[in-house]
Amino acid sequence: MKRVRALARARILATYDSSLVFPTTMKPRMFRFVCLLFLIAGGVRAADSKEKHTYVIVHGATAGGWEWKKTGNFLSEDGHEVYRATLTGLGERMHLNSPDISLHTHIDDVVNLILFEDLHDIVLTGHSYGGMVITGVMDRVPERIRHVVFLDAAVPDDGMSIWDLFGGKGPQDPSRFADGFMQVPWVTPDTKPPHNVKQSIKCFYQPVSYKNPVAKALDVTYVAFVPKDKSAAERAKTDKSWQRAVSRGWTIRTFPGGHVAQQEDPRGVATLMEEAVGDKNTPLAAVVPSSARLQSPEVHPDRKVTFRFQAPEAKEVELSGQFLKGNQLMEKNEAGLWSITVGPIEPNLYPYNFVVDGVGVADPSNPDLFPNELFKPSMIDIPANPPLLHAVRDVPRGELNYCSYESKTLNRTRPLVVYLPPGYRAGTDSYPVLYLVSGTTDTEETWVKAGRANVILDNLIAERKAVPMIVVMPYGNMMAGTPPPSSMQAADMYKIFDAELTGNIVPYVEANYRTIVDREQRAIAGFSRGGGQALFAGFKHPDKFASVASYAAYLTPEVCDKYFPDLGDADKKPKLLWLGVGKDDFLYKPAHDFDSYLKGRNIAHQWLVTEGGHTWMNARRYLAETLPLFFK
């Protein structure tokens, strides 16, 4: 029986090494001892068969290499070579701390470690803030790197700082800085080392470089530490670092634990780091099948903005916008994704578009479009603190009605947008009416989507700076062309609009809404072509409109002399006549001449000259200037 058992043991051991042959006459005690020796030797031989790597580990903000001691020890026990970098001014190097230490200092720390230790084929690993550092290291010495692992780490674009990534949230909240350093509760210098150390603010607002195409070709793993009571899917929707990793084709892994999971489960994190070395990037064409998945535009807390556009076959893509002095060339990555970061941009609402091989296109990732008959650019709103007047605030809001009416003048159905003030539906009061006309190639929606007329009026009414009113926004195209405003032919188009307004639009509005039917309670204003139409209709019908406003528009002396020879008469003058234009507007000179003409005829009016050109930024300002003046 003992002989049978000995043979069985020999067969089992042979499964570990088929080259072993045991004598069947070996005594059981000696046999067990030999088996143990061979099992140990087999385990060592199996461990030796694993590929050994060189790990360079970069810790997070305020920490040090000490934070990764346990994880590093596990990697060393597995036979790997491990370098736990401690960044200047932190950890055991805290005696070097200074407010002059920057992100670039820390990038130099790691690059010099790699160069002076003559390390090659390394697994570069960064945790938290360390993601910023290893990004810069990738850009500097990509030829020394085998694989990169971002452990719950920041993933920036080129030219971004960690402040750009997180803004006022988290540890980089400006209130946590004093004397050039970050001061946070977990920095406890009076406790026994190891402990966290205050860190220079320059580390957080200095941008990183990520331009090197060799660096962008490295295989990278992004690991998200996700607590067991949290949802990885929900985090993926909001984590911009995670989203960038996906867009670059990096391997995505999750690990159960908090932000310092390496302290909670050092063995598990070490194993994860070993497994990640075999990860390969997904071909980017498969990762980004359409630009609809891109985040564009991405407005950063410092008012810099990143724009992205997927166009693998394009030869050149430029960014064009009214916040730029000229088109800016975008950079293309190996997946055909074009991107650029510009700014900081002054707070306002701007139109922009891409120019792809000479052809203008809207941003397909941005649902906010500028309403126009022709090309429809995208729009971007750069927020301000305090918010600008066109920003939605927590105030009572009016409503927008999209209507249509039958035009006897043009013999067709025409669109109309009507703003009703807060409380209109719940009450019985009647209201004054502003007829607000947009410019050439604009539509009836432009004053809402580009002009934000409804939001501006909501805010002014809430501040009691404007009276509650109805605003009627018609489609200004009279289907008769748009002659230059300097020509007499322009008056022919203005006459058609006047007939449309007084014969169709005003009757429709007064029949369907609670309006005050009185000259003093009607106003008309317009931008560009709409300004010319407003001036013509207002001057022709002083019995219908007491207030007239022109935003970047004019009438020629010839048109005024022919159609309004008695404009200076007391009963023909508007109660309020308001004109505004920008210094850089291509219509500045004729608008200025119109101002001089009115002064020459002793026609009282208000005249405002602003910076800027023929833009909707100015149109919004002029509207905000005049709304408080109407119906007072």
Coordinates of all heavy atoms in Angstrom, one line a residue, residues 200-236:
S200 N 3.9 73.8 -3.4 CA 3.9 75.1 -4.1 C 2.7 75.2 -5.1 O 2.4 74.2 -5.8 CB 5.2 75.3 -4.9 OG 5.0 76.3 -5.8
I201 N 2.1 76.4 -5.1 CA 0.9 76.6 -6.0 C 1.3 76.5 -7.5 O 0.5 76.2 -8.3 CB 0.3 78.0 -5.7 CG1 -1.0 78.1 -6.5 CG2 1.2 79.1 -6.0 CD1 -1.8 79.4 -6.1
K202 N 2.6 76.8 -7.8 CA 3.1 76.7 -9.1 C 2.9 75.3 -9.8 O 2.8 75.2 -11.0 CB 4.5 77.2 -9.2 CG 4.8 78.7 -9.0 CD 6.2 79.1 -9.2 CE 6.4 80.6 -9.1 NZ 7.8 80.9 -9.3
C203 N 2.9 74.3 -8.9 CA 2.7 73.0 -9.4 C 1.4 72.8 -10.1 O 1.2 71.9 -10.9 CB 2.9 72.0 -8.3 SG 4.6 72.0 -7.5
F204 N 0.4 73.6 -9.6 CA -1.0 73.4 -10.0 C -1.4 74.3 -11.2 O -2.4 74.0 -11.9 CB -1.9 73.6 -8.8 CG -1.6 72.7 -7.7 CD1 -0.7 73.0 -6.7 CD2 -2.1 71.4 -7.7 CE1 -0.4 72.1 -5.7 CE2 -1.8 70.5 -6.7 CZ -0.9 70.8 -5.7
Y205 N -0.8 75.4 -11.4 CA -1.2 76.3 -12.5 C -0.2 76.3 -13.7 O -0.5 76.9 -14.7 CB -1.5 77.7 -12.0 CG -0.4 78.6 -11.6 CD1 0.6 79.0 -12.4 CD2 -0.4 79.0 -10.3 CE1 1.6 79.8 -12.0 CE2 0.7 79.9 -9.8 CZ 1.7 80.2 -10.7 OH 2.7 81.1 -10.3
Q206 N 0.9 75.6 -13.6 CA 1.8 75.5 -14.7 C 1.4 74.5 -15.7 O 1.0 73.4 -15.3 CB 3.2 75.2 -14.2 CG 4.3 75.4 -15.2 CD 5.7 75.3 -14.6 OE1 6.0 74.4 -13.9 NE2 6.5 76.4 -14.8
P207 N 1.3 74.8 -17.0 CA 0.9 73.9 -18.0 C 1.9 72.8 -18.3 O 3.1 73.1 -18.1 CB 0.6 74.8 -19.2 CG 1.5 75.9 -19.0 CD 1.6 76.2 -17.6
V208 N 1.5 71.7 -18.8 CA 2.4 70.6 -19.2 C 2.4 70.5 -20.7 O 1.5 70.9 -21.4 CB 1.9 69.3 -18.6 CG1 0.6 68.8 -19.3 CG2 3.0 68.2 -18.7
S209 N 3.5 70.0 -21.2 CA 3.7 69.8 -22.7 C 3.4 68.4 -23.0 O 3.9 67.4 -22.3 CB 5.1 70.2 -23.1 OG 5.3 69.9 -24.5
Y210 N 2.6 68.1 -24.0 CA 2.3 66.8 -24.5 C 2.2 66.8 -26.0 O 1.1 66.7 -26.6 CB 1.0 66.3 -23.8 CG 0.7 64.8 -24.2 CD1 1.5 63.8 -23.9 CD2 -0.5 64.6 -24.8 CE1 1.2 62.5 -24.2 CE2 -0.9 63.3 -25.1 CZ 0.0 62.2 -24.8 OH -0.4 60.9 -25.1
K211 N 3.3 67.1 -26.7 CA 3.3 67.3 -28.1 C 4.0 66.1 -28.8 O 3.8 65.9 -30.0 CB 4.0 68.6 -28.5 CG 3.4 69.9 -28.0 CD 4.1 71.1 -28.5 CE 3.4 72.4 -28.2 NZ 3.4 72.7 -26.8
N212 N 5.0 65.5 -28.2 CA 5.8 64.5 -28.8 C 5.0 63.3 -29.4 O 4.4 62.6 -28.7 CB 6.8 64.0 -27.8 CG 8.0 63.2 -28.4 OD1 7.9 62.6 -29.5 ND2 9.2 63.4 -27.8
P213 N 5.1 63.1 -30.7 CA 4.3 62.0 -31.3 C 4.8 60.7 -30.9 O 4.0 59.7 -30.8 CB 4.6 62.2 -32.8 CG 5.8 63.0 -32.9 CD 5.8 63.9 -31.7
V214 N 6.1 60.5 -30.5 CA 6.5 59.2 -29.9 C 5.8 59.0 -28.6 O 5.4 57.8 -28.3 CB 8.1 59.2 -29.8 CG1 8.5 57.9 -29.2 CG2 8.7 59.5 -31.1
A215 N 5.7 60.0 -27.8 CA 5.0 59.8 -26.5 C 3.5 59.4 -26.7 O 3.0 58.6 -26.0 CB 5.1 61.1 -25.7
K216 N 2.9 60.0 -27.7 CA 1.5 59.7 -28.0 C 1.3 58.3 -28.5 O 0.1 57.8 -28.6 CB 0.9 60.8 -28.9 CG 0.9 62.2 -28.3 CD 0.3 63.2 -29.2 CE 0.3 64.6 -28.6 NZ -0.3 65.6 -29.4
A217 N 2.4 57.7 -29.0 CA 2.3 56.3 -29.5 C 2.5 55.3 -28.4 O 2.4 54.1 -28.7 CB 3.3 56.1 -30.6
L218 N 2.9 55.6 -27.2 CA 3.2 54.7 -26.1 C 1.9 54.0 -25.7 O 0.8 54.6 -25.7 CB 3.8 55.4 -24.9 CG 5.2 56.0 -25.1 CD1 5.5 56.9 -23.9 CD2 6.2 54.8 -25.2
D219 N 2.0 52.7 -25.3 CA 0.8 52.0 -24.7 C 0.6 52.5 -23.3 O 1.6 52.6 -22.5 CB 1.1 50.5 -24.7 CG 1.0 49.9 -26.1 OD1 0.1 50.3 -26.9 OD2 1.9 49.1 -26.5
V220 N -0.6 52.8 -23.0 CA -0.9 53.4 -21.7 C -2.2 52.7 -21.1 O -3.1 52.4 -21.8 CB -1.2 54.9 -21.8 CG1 -1.5 55.6 -20.5 CG2 -0.1 55.6 -22.5
T221 N -2.1 52.6 -19.8 CA -3.3 52.0 -19.1 C -3.8 53.1 -18.1 O -3.0 53.7 -17.4 CB -2.9 50.8 -18.2 OG1 -2.4 49.8 -19.1 CG2 -4.1 50.3 -17.5
Y222 N -5.1 53.4 -18.1 CA -5.7 54.3 -17.2 C -6.5 53.5 -16.2 O -7.4 52.7 -16.6 CB -6.6 55.3 -17.9 CG -7.3 56.2 -16.9 CD1 -6.7 57.3 -16.4 CD2 -8.6 55.9 -16.5 CE1 -7.3 58.1 -15.5 CE2 -9.3 56.7 -15.6 CZ -8.6 57.9 -15.1 OH -9.3 58.7 -14.2
V223 N -6.2 53.6 -14.9 CA -6.8 52.9 -13.8 C -7.6 53.9 -13.0 O -7.1 54.8 -12.4 CB -5.8 52.1 -12.9 CG1 -6.6 51.4 -11.9 CG2 -5.0 51.2 -13.8
A224 N -8.9 53.6 -12.8 CA -9.8 54.4 -12.0 C -10.0 53.7 -10.7 O -10.5 52.5 -10.7 CB -11.1 54.7 -12.6
F225 N -9.6 54.3 -9.5 CA -9.9 53.7 -8.2 C -11.4 54.0 -7.9 O -11.7 55.2 -7.7 CB -9.0 54.2 -7.2 CG -7.6 53.8 -7.3 CD1 -6.6 54.5 -6.6 CD2 -7.2 52.7 -8.1 CE1 -5.2 54.2 -6.8 CE2 -5.9 52.4 -8.2 CZ -4.9 53.1 -7.5
V226 N -12.2 53.0 -7.8 CA -13.7 53.3 -7.6 C -14.1 52.6 -6.3 O -14.0 51.4 -6.2 CB -14.5 52.7 -8.8 CG1 -16.0 53.0 -8.6 CG2 -14.0 53.3 -10.1
P227 N -14.5 53.4 -5.3 CA -15.0 52.8 -4.1 C -16.2 51.8 -4.4 O -16.9 51.9 -5.3 CB -15.5 54.0 -3.3 CG -14.7 55.1 -3.8 CD -14.6 54.8 -5.3
K228 N -16.3 50.8 -3.5 CA -17.3 49.7 -3.8 C -18.7 50.2 -3.7 O -19.6 49.6 -4.4 CB -17.1 48.6 -2.7 CG -15.8 47.9 -2.9 CD -15.6 46.8 -1.8 CE -14.3 46.1 -2.0 NZ -14.1 45.0 -0.9
D229 N -18.9 51.3 -3.0 CA -20.3 51.9 -3.0 C -20.6 52.9 -4.1 O -21.6 53.5 -4.1 CB -20.6 52.5 -1.6 CG -19.6 53.7 -1.3 OD1 -18.6 53.7 -2.0 OD2 -20.0 54.5 -0.5
K230 N -19.6 53.1 -5.0 CA -19.8 54.0 -6.1 C -19.9 53.2 -7.4 O -19.6 52.1 -7.6 CB -18.6 55.0 -6.2 CG -18.4 55.8 -4.9 CD -19.6 56.7 -4.6 CE -19.3 57.5 -3.3 NZ -20.4 58.4 -3.0
S231 N -20.5 54.0 -8.5 CA -20.7 53.4 -9.8 C -19.6 53.8 -10.7 O -19.4 55.0 -11.0 CB -22.0 53.8 -10.3 OG -22.1 53.5 -11.7
A232 N -18.9 52.9 -11.3 CA -17.8 53.2 -12.3 C -18.5 53.8 -13.5 O -17.9 54.7 -14.1 CB -17.1 51.9 -12.7
A233 N -19.7 53.4 -13.9 CA -20.3 53.9 -15.1 C -20.7 55.4 -14.9 O -20.5 56.2 -15.8 CB -21.6 53.1 -15.4
E234 N -21.1 55.7 -13.7 CA -21.5 57.1 -13.5 C -20.2 58.0 -13.5 O -20.2 59.1 -14.0 CB -22.2 57.3 -12.1 CG -23.6 56.7 -12.2 CD -24.5 57.4 -13.2 OE1 -24.5 58.7 -13.3 OE2 -25.2 56.7 -14.0
R235 N -19.2 57.5 -12.9 CA -17.9 58.3 -12.9 C -17.4 58.5 -14.3 O -16.9 59.6 -14.6 CB -16.9 57.6 -12.0 CG -15.5 58.3 -12.1 CD -14.5 57.8 -11.1 NE -13.2 58.3 -11.5 CZ -12.1 58.0 -10.8 NH1 -12.1 57.2 -9.8 NH2 -10.9 58.5 -11.2
A236 N -17.5 57.5 -15.1 CA -17.0 57.6 -16.5 C -17.7 58.7 -17.3 O -17.1 59.3 -18.2 CB -17.2 56.3 -17.2

